[in-house]
Amino acid sequence: QVQLVESGGGLVQAGGSLRVSCAASGGTFSTYTMGWFRQAPGKEREFVASVRWSNMAYYADSVKGRFTISRDNAKNTVYLQMNSLKPEDTAVYYCAAGWGSRDASQYSAWGQGTQVTVSS
């Protein structure tokens, strides 16, 4: 079973940038689809982005053009570069490993989450 640990969250002003990382261990990282989800207070967890083993990437409409997901299979790490951040991007960001794309139920392993707060 793969274990995931996120890092890189924090507080940033609107319009700023932040990169969160997710380090994986205990599994065959290169074969997984890696995803980022987020959950804001009082809201359901939502899909942000995912990247397949082939490096094909998918994005939620709300982040398309601002966020970039990437993976480094040599380092067993997936990244989410977030630019032009908005207050509505404030949430706990979760990394996940699995076989799906946008559907959280298709991910079998989850990290503990990292807080991203965007001030206006």
Side-chain angles (χ1 to χ4, degrees):
Q1 178 74 2
V2 63
Q3 288 85 44
L4 304 173
V5 178
E6 300 99 334
S7 60
L11 173 65
V12 64
Q13 288 189 332
S17 298
L18 202 61
R19 188 177 80 162
V20 290
S21 303
C22 173
S25 61
T28 309
F29 177 80
S30 61
T31 65
Y32 287 106
T33 291
M34 298 300 298
W36 285 98
F37 291 76
R38 66 186 182 187
Q39 188 167 19
K43 295 187 176 181
E44 293 188 353
R45 189 171 299 190
E46 65 174 0
F47 170 78
V48 176
S50 65
V51 58
R52 294 189 181 275
W53 62 270
S54 59
N55 281 319
M56 181 70 71
Y58 303 86
Y59 296 93
D61 288 343
S62 59
V63 307
K64 200 172 295 183
R66 300 188 298 121
F67 290 13
T68 302
I69 188 171
S70 62
R71 65 191 299 162
D72 185 336
N73 290 337
K75 296 183 178 180
N76 287 357
T77 301
V78 62
Y79 305 96
L80 185 68
Q81 176 67 44
M82 302 180 287
N83 299 329
S84 302
L85 282 160
K86 305 175 181 179
E88 50 264 43
D89 294 318
T90 296
V92 176
Y93 282 71
Y94 296 91
C95 171
W99 314 109
S101 180
R102 300 173 184 270
D103 186 350
S105 68
Q106 295 181 339
Y107 291 82
S108 57
W110 292 81
Q112 82 287 352
T114 186
Q115 177 70 47
V116 172
T117 303
V118 184
S119 63
S120 56

